[in-house]
Amino acid sequence: MQIAITGSTGLIGTALVRALRGEGRTVLRLVRRRPAADDEIRWDPFGEVDTASLEGVDAVVHLAGAGIGDRRWSACYQQEIRDSRVEGTRTLSRALAALRDGPAVLVSGSASGYYGDTGDRTVDEDSPSGEGFLAALCRDWEAATAPAAEAGIRVVLPRAGIVLAREGGALGRLLPVFRAGLGGRLGSGRQWMSWISLADQIAALRFLIDGDVVGPVNLTAPDPVTNAAYTAAVGRALHRPTFFTVPPAVLRLALGGLADEGALVSQRILPARLTAAGFRFRHPDLDTALADLLP
């Protein structure tokens, strides 16, 4: 099985490439520079794609895009986030639709930001989209896959929650702070967090490649927790205190708009379609995940 992947050097992409190759699958990596290896294919998110090299691939996983949490949100960076995802997805979808021997499936990344702030309400894939920059982005990001779907390609839209990993992401970046005994809740700590371990994220993507699910799928664990509960659990796993609180004003100063749509947003999301399709989580609850991640 040949699988082409964009965003293969990111946290999720790197782990997915390793897992797929470990299963004996052939992985082709779409890169934005001149290809330097036999497994690389040139593509420009705002221009052309080397479609000849994509003929005959079985599946495409699209993970590329400017990092949502990588920098403080300015108006300029928000535009970069949006363009990299919407235009890049549209470019790739049109290229795949034009292939003579196109893939059976396109797994095109989306995010839990689709739902906006859900407060204490639980939501699943049948719930409506929310409000704000990320919700609007996710709607347009997902809609940009239309050319592939219209060409008969099975399109899956994994709406990823907060991915927990030692190597990076929300947990990995703050581990030094927690290890120093300086970890603490964000704001009130009452906001819900919908998370998934990196191992389950990768297993779910492999499950979606091979399965028959179509459309949006929440990639979140079945046990969302509040930020206060998450903070306490990380402290317990590391045997460190978590007495501190980061005030909302400080988060807004440091993160810009990302504070209200990331650190302080409340999202209580359930993986209804993934569970109904028969996926089994390795880490269904936070303590189990942290026990594996933080030995």
Side-chain angles (χ1 to χ4, degrees):
M1 188 177 191
Q2 283 196 328
I3 302 173
I5 300 178
T6 72
S8 63
T9 59
L11 174 67
I12 296 169
T14 298
L16 181 60
V17 169
R18 183 169 56 244
L20 292 172
R21 286 180 171 165
E23 296 172 350
R25 307 195 198 199
T26 299
V27 176
L28 304 174
R29 298 178 296 121
L30 278 77
V31 297
R32 289 175 290 178
R33 52 172 170 71
R34 182 186 298 275
D38 292 341
D39 68 341
E40 295 182 345
I41 297 173
R42 175 83 166 88
W43 85 300
D44 178 354
F46 305 100
E48 305 241 343
V49 180
D50 179 5
T51 51
S53 298
L54 286 173
E55 291 285 356
V57 298
D58 299 288
V60 175
V61 181
H62 177 41
L63 302 173
I68 288 175
D70 288 357
R71 286 164 46 188
R72 186 183 190 278
W73 277 12
S74 62
C76 181
Y77 191 58
Q78 283 179 283
Q79 191 63 48
E80 182 180 340
I81 291 171
R82 177 179 174 80
D83 290 345
S84 69
R85 283 167 167 72
V86 177
E87 297 306 320
T89 301
R90 185 175 292 119
T91 296
L92 181 63
S93 295
R94 287 173 174 169
L96 297 179
L99 295 176
R100 294 188 305 275
D101 184 14
V105 58
L106 166 63
V107 179
S108 184
S110 184
S112 61
Y114 176 91
Y115 301 104
D117 194 321
T118 73
D120 289 330
R121 291 182 299 112
T122 56
V123 297
D124 61 22
E125 293 87 351
D126 292 327
S127 301
S129 181
E131 298 180 356
F133 169 75
L134 283 180
L137 166 66
C138 290
R139 290 193 297 270
D140 293 344
W141 187 7
E142 294 181 4
T145 62
E150 291 165 0
I153 298 171
R154 179 172 65 91
V155 174
V156 189
L157 303 165
R159 294 173 179 164
I162 298 170
V163 180
L164 302 186
R166 279 196 307 269
E167 302 89 337
L171 176 63
R173 290 173 184 167
L174 289 177
L175 273 180
V177 176
F178 276 93
R179 290 189 193 279
L182 300 175
R185 69 177 188 270
L186 306 181
S188 70
R190 292 192 298 269
Q191 66 272 31
W192 287 89
M193 297 175 56
S194 292
W195 60 276
I196 187 170
S197 70
L198 179 61
D200 279 334
Q201 174 86 3
I202 299 308
L205 289 173
R206 290 155 54 202
F207 181 85
L208 294 173
I209 291 169
D210 295 333
D212 56 7
V213 177
V214 178
V217 183
N218 293 336
L219 263 58
T220 59
D223 181 35
V225 297
T226 64
N227 175 260
Y230 168 80
T231 300
V234 175
R236 285 195 306 274
L238 294 173
H239 307 290
R240 294 291 187 274
T242 54
F243 299 133
F244 294 92
T245 297
V246 184
V250 173
L251 288 168
R252 292 184 179 109
L253 180 64
L255 303 176
L258 176 58
D260 288 306
E261 297 209 30
L264 297 173
V265 73
S266 183
Q267 293 194 318
R268 196 175 182 182
I269 300 168
L270 299 179
R273 291 188 181 169
L274 199 56
T275 302
F279 180 78
R280 296 178 66 95
F281 286 87
R282 176 178 173 183
H283 302 127
D285 62 83
L286 185 59
D287 286 336
T288 301
L290 293 177
D292 272 1
L293 289 170
L294 305 175

